[in-house]
Amino acid sequence: MLIEIDGRRCIGCGRCVDDCVGANLRVEDGMAQVKGRCILCGHCVAVCPTEAVSIPSYDMGEVEPAAPLGAIDASTMLRVIKSRRSVRDYRAQAVEREKLDMILQAGRYTATAKNAQACRFVVVQGGLAELKNLVWDGIDGLLDLPAAEKPRWAKVYKPFSRNRLAEPPVDFLFRNAPAVVFVAAERADDAGLAAQNMELVAASLGLGMLYDGYLCRAADELPAVKAFLEAGEKPLQVCMLLGYPALSYPRTAPRLPGDFVVK
């Protein structure tokens, strides 16, 4: 049984039935009953006023009282979103494990299409030097190939490789970030939604991120890097540098007028 109903607690209110996207619940003889299989979205657990519903395959100990709607002031939330910056310079300070865990939980709890929960989150901090070597060795190896054999995507990395060896060196891919976060997923929207939530939680912890499309592409194309990241067969959809910003921004940045349609 995918869902369990505690008959001692169920009051037959039907809230879980009304909110079930798959119509897999019904009220019978004054108690909720499970009709069949479902996508395990957990809405029945969340909506039950008496904690009568459980999903044994999940850790029910993680369930906690929900934050009420409006718990975060909307103007403050919008100001936080406006205040986030793409961080390109970081302090030489490692990210604490407890903060990494909170960022990962933000990704894990993000909505996914059909409740697939199929994103894989990879954080590289202690192994960052090895990752850098694998990435640059792979890129330089491709750049050394004859022009006819060189992948088109690799050619844009030539100035990045040259600048990395310049004096002073400029590492366009990794900069000086102490950690890198990858999100592997079949669906780009699943990974993108998770990444946005992760970045907002990172900002609340005093951390900054930079979406790194060049590093994401290289990591996904280089087999040795993909194996190191243990991403499996899922494509790397998002890569973010992570760390404590070396700069502070006392004001928000301007933007173009919004292209809105409201009917």
mmCIF file of all heavy atoms in Angstrom, residues 183-234:
data_model
loop_
_atom_site.group_PDB
_atom_site.id
_atom_site.type_symbol
_atom_site.label_atom_id
_atom_site.label_comp_id
_atom_site.label_asym_id
_atom_site.label_seq_id
_atom_site.Cartn_x
_atom_site.Cartn_y
_atom_site.Cartn_z
ATOM 1 N N VAL A 183 23.184 20.334 -10.912
ATOM 2 C CA VAL A 183 21.876 19.676 -10.863
ATOM 3 C C VAL A 183 21.712 18.878 -12.148
ATOM 4 O O VAL A 183 21.714 19.444 -13.245
ATOM 5 C CB VAL A 183 20.716 20.673 -10.721
ATOM 6 C CG1 VAL A 183 19.391 19.919 -10.568
ATOM 7 C CG2 VAL A 183 20.931 21.602 -9.529
ATOM 8 N N ALA A 184 21.597 17.559 -12.004
ATOM 9 C CA ALA A 184 21.374 16.671 -13.144
ATOM 10 C C ALA A 184 19.909 16.251 -13.151
ATOM 11 O O ALA A 184 19.360 15.877 -12.108
ATOM 12 C CB ALA A 184 22.278 15.445 -13.047
ATOM 13 N N ALA A 185 19.283 16.319 -14.297
ATOM 14 C CA ALA A 185 17.864 15.976 -14.395
ATOM 15 C C ALA A 185 17.504 15.766 -15.853
ATOM 16 O O ALA A 185 18.136 16.329 -16.753
ATOM 17 C CB ALA A 185 16.991 17.077 -13.791
ATOM 18 N N GLU A 186 16.475 14.963 -16.106
ATOM 19 C CA GLU A 186 15.986 14.783 -17.469
ATOM 20 C C GLU A 186 15.295 16.039 -17.970
ATOM 21 O O GLU A 186 15.369 16.375 -19.146
ATOM 22 C CB GLU A 186 15.031 13.592 -17.531
ATOM 23 C CG GLU A 186 15.678 12.246 -17.251
ATOM 24 C CD GLU A 186 16.748 11.885 -18.263
ATOM 25 O OE1 GLU A 186 16.694 12.405 -19.404
ATOM 26 O OE2 GLU A 186 17.650 11.102 -17.920
ATOM 27 N N ARG A 187 14.627 16.748 -17.075
ATOM 28 C CA ARG A 187 13.873 17.941 -17.457
ATOM 29 C C ARG A 187 14.607 19.190 -16.986
ATOM 30 O O ARG A 187 14.953 19.333 -15.808
ATOM 31 C CB ARG A 187 12.473 17.906 -16.848
ATOM 32 C CG ARG A 187 11.585 16.777 -17.369
ATOM 33 C CD ARG A 187 10.221 16.843 -16.694
ATOM 34 N NE ARG A 187 9.564 18.118 -16.926
ATOM 35 C CZ ARG A 187 8.442 18.277 -17.649
ATOM 36 N NH1 ARG A 187 7.880 17.224 -18.220
ATOM 37 N NH2 ARG A 187 7.896 19.466 -17.792
ATOM 38 N N ALA A 188 14.803 20.112 -17.918
ATOM 39 C CA ALA A 188 15.484 21.349 -17.576
ATOM 40 C C ALA A 188 14.673 22.199 -16.613
ATOM 41 O O ALA A 188 15.242 22.893 -15.757
ATOM 42 C CB ALA A 188 15.784 22.147 -18.847
ATOM 43 N N ASP A 189 13.338 22.141 -16.726
ATOM 44 C CA ASP A 189 12.531 22.964 -15.826
ATOM 45 C C ASP A 189 12.621 22.470 -14.387
ATOM 46 O O ASP A 189 12.634 23.270 -13.447
ATOM 47 C CB ASP A 189 11.080 23.049 -16.294
ATOM 48 C CG ASP A 189 10.444 21.691 -16.570
ATOM 49 O OD1 ASP A 189 11.139 20.661 -16.502
ATOM 50 O OD2 ASP A 189 9.233 21.657 -16.865
ATOM 51 N N ASP A 190 12.697 21.148 -14.190
ATOM 52 C CA ASP A 190 12.868 20.626 -12.830
ATOM 53 C C ASP A 190 14.160 21.153 -12.213
ATOM 54 O O ASP A 190 14.189 21.598 -11.063
ATOM 55 C CB ASP A 190 12.897 19.096 -12.845
ATOM 56 C CG ASP A 190 11.528 18.471 -13.059
ATOM 57 O OD1 ASP A 190 10.524 19.209 -13.029
ATOM 58 O OD2 ASP A 190 11.466 17.242 -13.265
ATOM 59 N N ALA A 191 15.243 21.104 -12.985
ATOM 60 C CA ALA A 191 16.536 21.556 -12.475
ATOM 61 C C ALA A 191 16.547 23.063 -12.252
ATOM 62 O O ALA A 191 17.097 23.550 -11.258
ATOM 63 C CB ALA A 191 17.643 21.161 -13.451
ATOM 64 N N GLY A 192 15.940 23.811 -13.159
ATOM 65 C CA GLY A 192 15.928 25.265 -13.030
ATOM 66 C C GLY A 192 15.147 25.736 -11.817
ATOM 67 O O GLY A 192 15.580 26.654 -11.109
ATOM 68 N N LEU A 193 13.998 25.123 -11.581
ATOM 69 C CA LEU A 193 13.211 25.490 -10.402
ATOM 70 C C LEU A 193 13.982 25.196 -9.123
ATOM 71 O O LEU A 193 14.000 26.002 -8.184
ATOM 72 C CB LEU A 193 11.881 24.726 -10.410
ATOM 73 C CG LEU A 193 10.861 25.166 -11.462
ATOM 74 C CD1 LEU A 193 9.722 24.152 -11.543
ATOM 75 C CD2 LEU A 193 10.314 26.548 -11.143
ATOM 76 N N ALA A 194 14.629 24.037 -9.087
ATOM 77 C CA ALA A 194 15.403 23.663 -7.902
ATOM 78 C C ALA A 194 16.554 24.632 -7.686
ATOM 79 O O ALA A 194 16.828 25.062 -6.561
ATOM 80 C CB ALA A 194 15.928 22.235 -8.047
ATOM 81 N N ALA A 195 17.237 24.990 -8.769
ATOM 82 C CA ALA A 195 18.366 25.898 -8.657
ATOM 83 C C ALA A 195 17.953 27.253 -8.105
ATOM 84 O O ALA A 195 18.663 27.856 -7.286
ATOM 85 C CB ALA A 195 19.036 26.063 -10.023
ATOM 86 N N GLN A 196 16.804 27.759 -8.535
ATOM 87 C CA GLN A 196 16.346 29.060 -8.046
ATOM 88 C C GLN A 196 16.078 29.015 -6.547
ATOM 89 O O GLN A 196 16.476 29.927 -5.799
ATOM 90 C CB GLN A 196 15.083 29.481 -8.786
ATOM 91 C CG GLN A 196 14.569 30.855 -8.390
ATOM 92 C CD GLN A 196 15.485 31.972 -8.841
ATOM 93 O OE1 GLN A 196 15.438 32.403 -9.985
ATOM 94 N NE2 GLN A 196 16.334 32.464 -7.975
ATOM 95 N N ASN A 197 15.422 27.966 -6.078
ATOM 96 C CA ASN A 197 15.175 27.841 -4.639
ATOM 97 C C ASN A 197 16.478 27.700 -3.859
ATOM 98 O O ASN A 197 16.635 28.259 -2.771
ATOM 99 C CB ASN A 197 14.264 26.645 -4.358
ATOM 100 C CG ASN A 197 12.812 26.942 -4.640
ATOM 101 O OD1 ASN A 197 12.429 28.095 -4.835
ATOM 102 N ND2 ASN A 197 11.992 25.910 -4.672
ATOM 103 N N MET A 198 17.415 26.948 -4.423
ATOM 104 C CA MET A 198 18.708 26.779 -3.760
ATOM 105 C C MET A 198 19.438 28.109 -3.641
ATOM 106 O O MET A 198 20.055 28.415 -2.613
ATOM 107 C CB MET A 198 19.548 25.761 -4.526
ATOM 108 C CG MET A 198 18.968 24.351 -4.499
ATOM 109 S SD MET A 198 19.727 23.240 -5.700
ATOM 110 C CE MET A 198 21.267 22.850 -4.850
ATOM 111 N N GLU A 199 19.355 28.921 -4.701
ATOM 112 C CA GLU A 199 20.042 30.209 -4.659
ATOM 113 C C GLU A 199 19.425 31.141 -3.620
ATOM 114 O O GLU A 199 20.132 31.867 -2.915
ATOM 115 C CB GLU A 199 20.017 30.872 -6.029
ATOM 116 C CG GLU A 199 20.837 32.154 -6.059
ATOM 117 C CD GLU A 199 20.768 32.882 -7.379
ATOM 118 O OE1 GLU A 199 19.813 32.650 -8.134
ATOM 119 O OE2 GLU A 199 21.670 33.692 -7.642
ATOM 120 N N LEU A 200 18.103 31.125 -3.504
ATOM 121 C CA LEU A 200 17.453 31.989 -2.521
ATOM 122 C C LEU A 200 17.820 31.579 -1.098
ATOM 123 O O LEU A 200 18.061 32.434 -0.239
ATOM 124 C CB LEU A 200 15.934 31.959 -2.715
ATOM 125 C CG LEU A 200 15.414 32.658 -3.971
ATOM 126 C CD1 LEU A 200 13.918 32.450 -4.113
ATOM 127 C CD2 LEU A 200 15.745 34.152 -3.933
ATOM 128 N N VAL A 201 17.875 30.283 -0.837
ATOM 129 C CA VAL A 201 18.291 29.832 0.489
ATOM 130 C C VAL A 201 19.759 30.169 0.727
ATOM 131 O O VAL A 201 20.150 30.589 1.819
ATOM 132 C CB VAL A 201 18.031 28.321 0.656
ATOM 133 C CG1 VAL A 201 18.697 27.784 1.922
ATOM 134 C CG2 VAL A 201 16.537 28.051 0.720
ATOM 135 N N ALA A 202 20.589 30.008 -0.303
ATOM 136 C CA ALA A 202 22.002 30.379 -0.169
ATOM 137 C C ALA A 202 22.131 31.851 0.201
ATOM 138 O O ALA A 202 22.931 32.220 1.085
ATOM 139 C CB ALA A 202 22.745 30.079 -1.469
ATOM 140 N N ALA A 203 21.352 32.713 -0.449
ATOM 141 C CA ALA A 203 21.405 34.143 -0.139
ATOM 142 C C ALA A 203 20.995 34.404 1.304
ATOM 143 O O ALA A 203 21.573 35.260 1.985
ATOM 144 C CB ALA A 203 20.506 34.915 -1.102
ATOM 145 N N SER A 204 20.001 33.666 1.782
ATOM 146 C CA SER A 204 19.558 33.855 3.174
ATOM 147 C C SER A 204 20.626 33.430 4.172
ATOM 148 O O SER A 204 20.607 33.849 5.329
ATOM 149 C CB SER A 204 18.270 33.063 3.425
ATOM 150 O OG SER A 204 18.531 31.675 3.554
ATOM 151 N N LEU A 205 21.580 32.621 3.723
ATOM 152 C CA LEU A 205 22.675 32.151 4.576
ATOM 153 C C LEU A 205 23.936 33.000 4.416
ATOM 154 O O LEU A 205 24.992 32.655 4.956
ATOM 155 C CB LEU A 205 22.995 30.692 4.245
ATOM 156 C CG LEU A 205 21.893 29.677 4.550
ATOM 157 C CD1 LEU A 205 22.223 28.319 3.932
ATOM 158 C CD2 LEU A 205 21.675 29.542 6.045
ATOM 159 N N GLY A 206 23.819 34.102 3.655
ATOM 160 C CA GLY A 206 24.969 34.967 3.445
ATOM 161 C C GLY A 206 25.886 34.503 2.337
ATOM 162 O O GLY A 206 27.013 34.988 2.214
ATOM 163 N N LEU A 207 25.426 33.566 1.516
ATOM 164 C CA LEU A 207 26.234 33.012 0.434
ATOM 165 C C LEU A 207 25.780 33.579 -0.909
ATOM 166 O O LEU A 207 24.678 34.113 -1.037
ATOM 167 C CB LEU A 207 26.117 31.492 0.421
ATOM 168 C CG LEU A 207 26.703 30.782 1.639
ATOM 169 C CD1 LEU A 207 26.088 29.402 1.794
ATOM 170 C CD2 LEU A 207 28.223 30.683 1.519
ATOM 171 N N GLY A 208 26.637 33.437 -1.909
ATOM 172 C CA GLY A 208 26.295 33.884 -3.244
ATOM 173 C C GLY A 208 26.541 32.782 -4.252
ATOM 174 O O GLY A 208 27.305 31.848 -4.007
ATOM 175 N N MET A 209 25.895 32.895 -5.402
ATOM 176 C CA MET A 209 26.028 31.899 -6.460
ATOM 177 C C MET A 209 26.203 32.572 -7.809
ATOM 178 O O MET A 209 25.856 33.748 -7.987
ATOM 179 C CB MET A 209 24.798 30.987 -6.503
ATOM 180 C CG MET A 209 24.760 29.926 -5.415
ATOM 181 S SD MET A 209 23.307 28.842 -5.581
ATOM 182 C CE MET A 209 23.917 27.347 -4.805
ATOM 183 N N LEU A 210 26.710 31.807 -8.759
ATOM 184 C CA LEU A 210 26.815 32.248 -10.147
ATOM 185 C C LEU A 210 26.433 31.085 -11.043
ATOM 186 O O LEU A 210 27.031 30.008 -10.975
ATOM 187 C CB LEU A 210 28.245 32.694 -10.479
ATOM 188 C CG LEU A 210 28.503 32.997 -11.965
ATOM 189 C CD1 LEU A 210 27.760 34.255 -12.390
ATOM 190 C CD2 LEU A 210 29.992 33.150 -12.241
ATOM 191 N N TYR A 211 25.423 31.283 -11.891
ATOM 192 C CA TYR A 211 25.063 30.264 -12.870
ATOM 193 C C TYR A 211 26.172 30.192 -13.903
ATOM 194 O O TYR A 211 26.524 31.192 -14.526
ATOM 195 C CB TYR A 211 23.723 30.595 -13.525
ATOM 196 C CG TYR A 211 22.554 30.437 -12.589
ATOM 197 C CD1 TYR A 211 22.102 31.497 -11.811
ATOM 198 C CD2 TYR A 211 21.910 29.212 -12.463
ATOM 199 C CE1 TYR A 211 21.041 31.345 -10.929
ATOM 200 C CE2 TYR A 211 20.844 29.054 -11.592
ATOM 201 C CZ TYR A 211 20.416 30.125 -10.830
ATOM 202 O OH TYR A 211 19.367 29.965 -9.961
ATOM 203 N N ASP A 212 26.744 29.008 -14.078
ATOM 204 C CA ASP A 212 27.946 28.832 -14.879
ATOM 205 C C ASP A 212 27.651 27.895 -16.043
ATOM 206 O O ASP A 212 27.917 26.698 -16.002
ATOM 207 C CB ASP A 212 29.062 28.261 -13.996
ATOM 208 C CG ASP A 212 30.439 28.433 -14.597
ATOM 209 O OD1 ASP A 212 30.525 28.476 -15.827
ATOM 210 O OD2 ASP A 212 31.416 28.505 -13.827
ATOM 211 N N GLY A 213 27.101 28.453 -17.112
ATOM 212 C CA GLY A 213 26.710 27.642 -18.254
ATOM 213 C C GLY A 213 27.891 27.031 -18.987
ATOM 214 O O GLY A 213 27.803 25.903 -19.487
ATOM 215 N N TYR A 214 29.007 27.755 -19.062
ATOM 216 C CA TYR A 214 30.184 27.217 -19.737
ATOM 217 C C TYR A 214 30.726 25.994 -19.009
ATOM 218 O O TYR A 214 31.084 24.986 -19.628
ATOM 219 C CB TYR A 214 31.273 28.284 -19.842
ATOM 220 C CG TYR A 214 30.990 29.352 -20.866
ATOM 221 C CD1 TYR A 214 30.670 30.647 -20.470
ATOM 222 C CD2 TYR A 214 31.054 29.071 -22.226
ATOM 223 C CE1 TYR A 214 30.408 31.640 -21.414
ATOM 224 C CE2 TYR A 214 30.795 30.048 -23.174
ATOM 225 C CZ TYR A 214 30.473 31.335 -22.764
ATOM 226 O OH TYR A 214 30.214 32.301 -23.697
ATOM 227 N N LEU A 215 30.796 26.064 -17.692
ATOM 228 C CA LEU A 215 31.288 24.922 -16.926
ATOM 229 C C LEU A 215 30.307 23.758 -17.017
ATOM 230 O O LEU A 215 30.702 22.598 -17.110
ATOM 231 C CB LEU A 215 31.515 25.317 -15.466
ATOM 232 C CG LEU A 215 32.017 24.221 -14.535
ATOM 233 C CD1 LEU A 215 33.285 23.551 -15.057
ATOM 234 C CD2 LEU A 215 32.257 24.788 -13.127
ATOM 235 N N CYS A 216 29.010 24.069 -17.023
ATOM 236 C CA CYS A 216 28.001 23.018 -17.125
ATOM 237 C C CYS A 216 28.140 22.272 -18.447
ATOM 238 O O CYS A 216 28.100 21.033 -18.482
ATOM 239 C CB CYS A 216 26.605 23.637 -17.002
ATOM 240 S SG CYS A 216 25.269 22.432 -16.819
ATOM 241 N N ARG A 217 28.318 22.990 -19.536
ATOM 242 C CA ARG A 217 28.443 22.364 -20.852
ATOM 243 C C ARG A 217 29.685 21.486 -20.904
ATOM 244 O O ARG A 217 29.633 20.333 -21.372
ATOM 245 C CB ARG A 217 28.506 23.437 -21.943
ATOM 246 C CG ARG A 217 28.750 22.898 -23.359
ATOM 247 C CD ARG A 217 27.551 22.104 -23.847
ATOM 248 N NE ARG A 217 27.782 21.510 -25.152
ATOM 249 C CZ ARG A 217 27.512 22.101 -26.315
ATOM 250 N NH1 ARG A 217 27.039 23.340 -26.341
ATOM 251 N NH2 ARG A 217 27.703 21.465 -27.444
ATOM 252 N N ALA A 218 30.818 22.006 -20.438
ATOM 253 C CA ALA A 218 32.056 21.236 -20.480
ATOM 254 C C ALA A 218 31.945 19.979 -19.631
ATOM 255 O O ALA A 218 32.345 18.884 -20.046
ATOM 256 C CB ALA A 218 33.220 22.096 -20.000
ATOM 257 N N ALA A 219 31.382 20.117 -18.431
ATOM 258 C CA ALA A 219 31.265 18.967 -17.536
ATOM 259 C C ALA A 219 30.361 17.891 -18.123
ATOM 260 O O ALA A 219 30.620 16.691 -17.976
ATOM 261 C CB ALA A 219 30.728 19.421 -16.171
ATOM 262 N N ASP A 220 29.316 18.312 -18.829
ATOM 263 C CA ASP A 220 28.385 17.345 -19.394
ATOM 264 C C ASP A 220 28.968 16.650 -20.622
ATOM 265 O O ASP A 220 28.617 15.511 -20.928
ATOM 266 C CB ASP A 220 27.081 18.052 -19.773
ATOM 267 C CG ASP A 220 25.926 17.070 -19.984
ATOM 268 O OD1 ASP A 220 25.692 16.224 -19.106
ATOM 269 O OD2 ASP A 220 25.267 17.164 -21.036
ATOM 270 N N GLU A 221 29.868 17.319 -21.323
ATOM 271 C CA GLU A 221 30.438 16.764 -22.555
ATOM 272 C C GLU A 221 31.675 15.908 -22.306
ATOM 273 O O GLU A 221 32.020 15.077 -23.142
ATOM 274 C CB GLU A 221 30.805 17.906 -23.515
ATOM 275 C CG GLU A 221 29.620 18.696 -24.049
ATOM 276 C CD GLU A 221 28.893 17.981 -25.171
ATOM 277 O OE1 GLU A 221 29.327 16.876 -25.550
ATOM 278 O OE2 GLU A 221 27.885 18.532 -25.665
ATOM 279 N N LEU A 222 32.354 16.107 -21.176
ATOM 280 C CA LEU A 222 33.598 15.385 -20.901
ATOM 281 C C LEU A 222 33.307 14.133 -20.071
ATOM 282 O O LEU A 222 32.915 14.235 -18.908
ATOM 283 C CB LEU A 222 34.573 16.299 -20.153
ATOM 284 C CG LEU A 222 35.051 17.528 -20.940
ATOM 285 C CD1 LEU A 222 35.802 18.494 -20.028
ATOM 286 C CD2 LEU A 222 35.931 17.103 -22.118
ATOM 287 N N PRO A 223 33.473 12.938 -20.624
ATOM 288 C CA PRO A 223 33.126 11.700 -19.912
ATOM 289 C C PRO A 223 33.822 11.543 -18.563
ATOM 290 O O PRO A 223 33.206 11.073 -17.595
ATOM 291 C CB PRO A 223 33.559 10.599 -20.889
ATOM 292 C CG PRO A 223 33.508 11.253 -22.241
ATOM 293 C CD PRO A 223 33.931 12.665 -22.009
ATOM 294 N N ALA A 224 35.091 11.931 -18.469
ATOM 295 C CA ALA A 224 35.810 11.771 -17.204
ATOM 296 C C ALA A 224 35.221 12.657 -16.124
ATOM 297 O O ALA A 224 35.141 12.268 -14.951
ATOM 298 C CB ALA A 224 37.292 12.090 -17.399
ATOM 299 N N VAL A 225 34.789 13.839 -16.508
ATOM 300 C CA VAL A 225 34.167 14.752 -15.543
ATOM 301 C C VAL A 225 32.801 14.236 -15.130
ATOM 302 O O VAL A 225 32.444 14.239 -13.945
ATOM 303 C CB VAL A 225 34.057 16.167 -16.139
ATOM 304 C CG1 VAL A 225 33.363 17.103 -15.161
ATOM 305 C CG2 VAL A 225 35.435 16.701 -16.500
ATOM 306 N N LYS A 226 32.040 13.786 -16.103
ATOM 307 C CA LYS A 226 30.693 13.263 -15.814
ATOM 308 C C LYS A 226 30.790 12.064 -14.870
ATOM 309 O O LYS A 226 29.977 11.920 -13.946
ATOM 310 C CB LYS A 226 30.030 12.861 -17.138
ATOM 311 C CG LYS A 226 28.516 12.628 -17.055
ATOM 312 C CD LYS A 226 27.763 13.929 -17.113
ATOM 313 C CE LYS A 226 26.258 13.686 -17.073
ATOM 314 N NZ LYS A 226 25.746 13.092 -18.317
ATOM 315 N N ALA A 227 31.788 11.220 -15.088
ATOM 316 C CA ALA A 227 31.971 10.062 -14.205
ATOM 317 C C ALA A 227 32.374 10.508 -12.804
ATOM 318 O O ALA A 227 31.892 9.958 -11.803
ATOM 319 C CB ALA A 227 33.029 9.131 -14.792
ATOM 320 N N PHE A 228 33.239 11.498 -12.710
ATOM 321 C CA PHE A 228 33.665 12.007 -11.411
ATOM 322 C C PHE A 228 32.477 12.556 -10.632
ATOM 323 O O PHE A 228 32.368 12.358 -9.416
ATOM 324 C CB PHE A 228 34.720 13.101 -11.599
ATOM 325 C CG PHE A 228 35.083 13.833 -10.342
ATOM 326 C CD1 PHE A 228 35.961 13.283 -9.421
ATOM 327 C CD2 PHE A 228 34.537 15.087 -10.071
ATOM 328 C CE1 PHE A 228 36.293 13.966 -8.251
ATOM 329 C CE2 PHE A 228 34.856 15.772 -8.913
ATOM 330 C CZ PHE A 228 35.739 15.209 -7.999
ATOM 331 N N LEU A 229 31.573 13.232 -11.311
ATOM 332 C CA LEU A 229 30.410 13.840 -10.652
ATOM 333 C C LEU A 229 29.342 12.815 -10.287
ATOM 334 O O LEU A 229 28.430 13.131 -9.515
ATOM 335 C CB LEU A 229 29.799 14.908 -11.559
ATOM 336 C CG LEU A 229 30.685 16.123 -11.851
ATOM 337 C CD1 LEU A 229 30.004 17.040 -12.862
ATOM 338 C CD2 LEU A 229 31.004 16.877 -10.579
ATOM 339 N N GLU A 230 29.441 11.609 -10.827
ATOM 340 C CA GLU A 230 28.470 10.548 -10.556
ATOM 341 C C GLU A 230 27.048 10.992 -10.903
ATOM 342 O O GLU A 230 26.091 10.717 -10.171
ATOM 343 C CB GLU A 230 28.549 10.093 -9.101
ATOM 344 C CG GLU A 230 29.918 9.524 -8.707
ATOM 345 C CD GLU A 230 29.969 9.056 -7.262
ATOM 346 O OE1 GLU A 230 28.991 8.438 -6.806
ATOM 347 O OE2 GLU A 230 30.993 9.326 -6.597
ATOM 348 N N ALA A 231 26.942 11.683 -12.021
ATOM 349 C CA ALA A 231 25.633 12.155 -12.462
ATOM 350 C C ALA A 231 24.832 11.078 -13.168
ATOM 351 O O ALA A 231 23.646 11.268 -13.460
ATOM 352 C CB ALA A 231 25.797 13.362 -13.382
ATOM 353 N N GLY A 232 25.455 9.945 -13.482
ATOM 354 C CA GLY A 232 24.749 8.879 -14.180
ATOM 355 C C GLY A 232 24.411 9.283 -15.597
ATOM 356 O O GLY A 232 25.143 10.020 -16.261
ATOM 357 N N GLU A 233 23.267 8.811 -16.079
ATOM 358 C CA GLU A 233 22.845 9.089 -17.446
ATOM 359 C C GLU A 233 22.099 10.409 -17.575
ATOM 360 O O GLU A 233 21.812 10.861 -18.683
ATOM 361 C CB GLU A 233 21.949 7.956 -17.956
ATOM 362 C CG GLU A 233 22.645 6.605 -18.040
ATOM 363 C CD GLU A 233 23.847 6.636 -18.961
ATOM 364 O OE1 GLU A 233 23.726 7.224 -20.059
ATOM 365 O OE2 GLU A 233 24.900 6.092 -18.585
ATOM 366 N N LYS A 234 21.789 11.038 -16.467
ATOM 367 C CA LYS A 234 21.033 12.285 -16.523
ATOM 368 C C LYS A 234 21.926 13.420 -17.017
ATOM 369 O O LYS A 234 23.072 13.540 -16.597
ATOM 370 C CB LYS A 234 20.480 12.637 -15.148
ATOM 371 C CG LYS A 234 19.483 11.624 -14.597
ATOM 372 C CD LYS A 234 19.067 11.984 -13.189
ATOM 373 C CE LYS A 234 18.111 10.935 -12.631
ATOM 374 N NZ LYS A 234 17.735 11.219 -11.226
#
